[in-house]
Amino acid sequence: MIDPWSSAVIDYENLVEQFGIKPFKDMLNDIEDPHILMKRGIIFGQRDYGRIVKAMRKGLDFAVATGMMPSGKMHIGHKMIVDQLVWYQKKGADIYIPIADLESYSARGVEFEDSRKLAISEYITNYIALGLDFKKKNVHVYLQSENKMVQNLAYLLGRRVNLNEMKAIYGFNGSTNISHLYVPLVQVADILHPQLEECGGPKPTVVPVGPDQDPHIRLTRDIAERFKSRFNFITPSSTYHRFITGLTGDKMSSSKPKTAIFLSDSPEVAEKKVKTAKTGGRESLDEQKKLGGIPENCSVYEMLLYHLVESDKELEEIYTNCKNGTTMCGECKARTSGLMRKFFEDFVIKRERAKDLAEKVLSKD
Ligand code: TRP
Ligand code: SF4
């Protein structure tokens, strides 16, 4: 069982085998101008992504829905989701971004007022600064607590889901609070409501998420089947990305500041964090020259791979020079931390510029 609210590390191989997630790479050849996260295998899995590929190729309507629970500051790992949204926006998708304040209230005890503040100062500000265009009509961002259409749909769908099922999927038990019990249905409604007539009717929908969210996806797909005759739902598709490793080598997590580079960090702080990150280097320089480093175990390399190097050729050179012991970690860190600093120098300005619009976005609809 996968518990979406725990922080356990995920076994990616097992996911594919046990739960029937399909490899993403099978789709790559059919995608025009795939995102680097796709090309680099960071997006590793999918369900029914063929529908989305087809919609993109034929220029048909399709939607993307993916949300975040406002429980703290956004870190650089969260950037991956936004990067994908920006890509889908260019592909012409309708974009739905729930801010899961019902979830963070029920599962984490965050008050609605605090969620709203975080939604504006962190989430929406970063989304804009990372390049999502909220001025386009087809972007819908909302707080779950304020979206009546979603709430009503959740309630309606709940009629055909029972407690035993929720226990089996999520490990809920007698002491689970009732609000928490209901949270998955709201997420199901987040994902399915773009297909209601009010939102333009049935259409392929993709949900890009981390694998911890797969229980919600499986539930959504089941429920979509159960209500097919009533709403004509097209079973939603999904993609799964690897999480970025934290600076310490553990999972990157907002609740453990030592592991994370926050999107609100200053360029100096971000630079320094890269310099102190755990690498895949050897004990001594001699050893590293002889054996080479291990980029697969290196959080510095991950920053390059996920975020900092656009060119595949350049990345390959870095990889090879690490592997064959040509580059030493000191030099590599200096370069990477410099790139990180540059990214943040630019990003600080973009965040500043995003602030005014971020204040207005939630009252748009
Ligand atoms: N549960 C997600 C999280 O923990 C947030 C979320 C809410 C979501 N609604 C969604 C994700 C719909 C994908 C699709 O971050
Ligand atoms: Fe990581 Fe660079 Fe050292 Fe290789 S050389 S292990 S990529 S820091």
Side-chain angles (χ1 to χ4, degrees):
M1 198 183 67
I2 302 169
D3 176 356
W5 299 282
S6 96
S7 56
V9 174
I10 296 202
D11 174 352
Y12 297 108
E13 307 292 323
N14 181 29
L15 259 173
V16 174
E17 272 166 34
Q18 192 184 339
F19 293 110
I21 292 174
K22 299 276 181 311
F24 191 84
K25 60 177 185 317
D26 298 353
M27 296 281 152
L28 260 185
N29 285 338
D30 298 327
I31 303 172
E32 210 179 300
D33 189 18
H35 193 275
I36 57 169
L37 296 170
M38 297 172 173
K39 286 193 282 183
R40 294 180 185 174
I42 298 159
I43 296 170
F44 67 90
Q46 48 93 12
R47 291 183 193 272
D48 278 342
Y49 197 69
R51 279 204 251 294
I52 304 301
V53 173
K54 191 166 148 208
M56 289 192 290
R57 290 177 82 103
K58 297 197 167 167
L60 305 173
D61 270 2
F62 74 107
V64 184
T66 191
M68 282 185 206
M69 181 164 62
S71 54
K73 292 196 286 184
M74 276 178 79
H75 60 61
I76 197 156
H78 296 125
K79 171 174 173 289
M80 273 189 276
I81 281 286
V82 192
D83 290 343
Q84 293 177 65
L85 288 174
V86 171
W87 185 84
Y88 282 116
Q89 185 167 49
K90 289 200 190 104
K91 300 279 178 194
D94 287 346
I95 301 200
Y96 289 83
I97 308 175
I99 297 178
D101 63 340
L102 291 179
E103 179 175 7
S104 59
Y105 171 74
S106 312
R108 301 269 190 258
V110 180
E111 293 298 333
F112 293 121
E113 212 21 65
D114 295 332
S115 274
R116 181 178 240 287
K117 283 188 197 137
L118 267 180
I120 296 169
S121 68
E122 277 287 314
Y123 292 81
I124 298 174
T125 302
N126 288 326
Y127 280 44
I128 297 170
L130 288 168
L132 202 65
D133 184 355
F134 279 91
K135 294 198 181 112
K136 294 241 166 77
K137 268 227 211 56
N138 59 358
V139 184
H140 311 269
V141 60
Y142 60 89
L143 292 160
Q144 286 175 330
S145 66
E146 293 182 353
N147 192 323
K148 204 71 195 144
M149 200 195 310
V150 166
Q151 290 167 22
N152 287 344
L153 181 61
Y155 200 89
L156 186 151
L157 300 174
R159 181 78 174 80
R160 292 209 200 152
V161 184
N162 70 32
L163 187 53
N164 286 336
E165 204 179 345
M166 296 304 264
K167 285 182 178 165
I169 300 175
Y170 297 101
F172 289 159
N173 58 45
S175 48
T176 304
N177 78 64
I178 306 288
S179 309
H180 193 170
L181 191 63
Y182 191 68
V183 156
L185 286 170
V186 180
Q187 181 154 345
V188 171
D190 282 330
I191 299 169
L192 292 177
H193 87 285
Q195 299 198 53
L196 296 180
E197 288 308 324
E198 296 95 303
C199 295
K203 59 177 81 58
T205 305
V206 59
V207 190
V209 282
D212 61 316
Q213 297 293 304
D214 193 50
H216 299 308
I217 304 288
R218 280 182 270 131
L219 178 65
T220 307
R221 288 164 55 89
D222 278 354
I223 294 180
E225 289 290 336
R226 287 173 213 172
F227 283 87
K228 201 153 251 175
S229 59
R230 173 156 181 180
F231 292 106
N232 255 326
F233 286 138
I234 296 172
T235 306
S237 312
S238 52
T239 65
Y240 304 89
H241 57 75
R242 285 173 188 273
F243 292 115
I244 196 163
T245 310
L247 303 171
T248 53
D250 304 322
K251 193 178 163 190
M252 189 175 289
S253 158
S254 302
S255 57
K256 295 190 201 112
K258 283 211 170 78
T259 64
I261 294 182
F262 294 104
L263 291 177
S264 51
D265 278 342
S266 69
E268 294 73 26
V269 167
E271 177 181 25
K272 205 147 83 240
K273 283 183 176 173
V274 175
K275 282 194 175 140
T276 57
K278 189 175 163 285
T279 70
R282 305 283 176 176
E283 295 279 306
S284 70
L285 284 183
D286 270 354
E287 218 179 302
Q288 182 136 349
K289 280 181 192 151
K290 231 186 286 156
L291 302 170
I294 311 173
E296 292 84 357
N297 285 345
C298 177
S299 63
V300 174
Y301 184 73
E302 271 190 37
M303 293 296 163
L304 298 164
L305 176 75
Y306 284 57
H307 298 297
L308 298 172
V309 179
E310 204 43 65
S311 147
D312 293 333
K313 192 167 153 269
E314 197 180 328
L315 190 73
E316 205 181 306
E317 263 165 40
I318 296 171
Y319 181 88
T320 316
N321 289 336
C322 169
K323 275 279 198 209
N324 66 19
T326 313
T327 311
M328 297 296 112
C329 293
E331 179 193 345
C332 187
K333 270 185 169 176
R335 175 179 185 189
T336 310
S337 59
L339 289 172
M340 190 62 88
R341 185 187 177 107
K342 253 212 220 120
F343 170 81
F344 273 93
E345 278 167 356
D346 182 47
F347 195 62
V348 168
I349 299 171
K350 289 184 172 153
R351 267 177 62 95
E352 238 355 270
R353 277 197 208 128
K355 281 187 177 157
D356 279 352
L357 180 57
E359 293 283 345
K360 295 180 196 131
V361 165
L362 281 179
S363 48
K364 186 179 75 172
D365 287 346

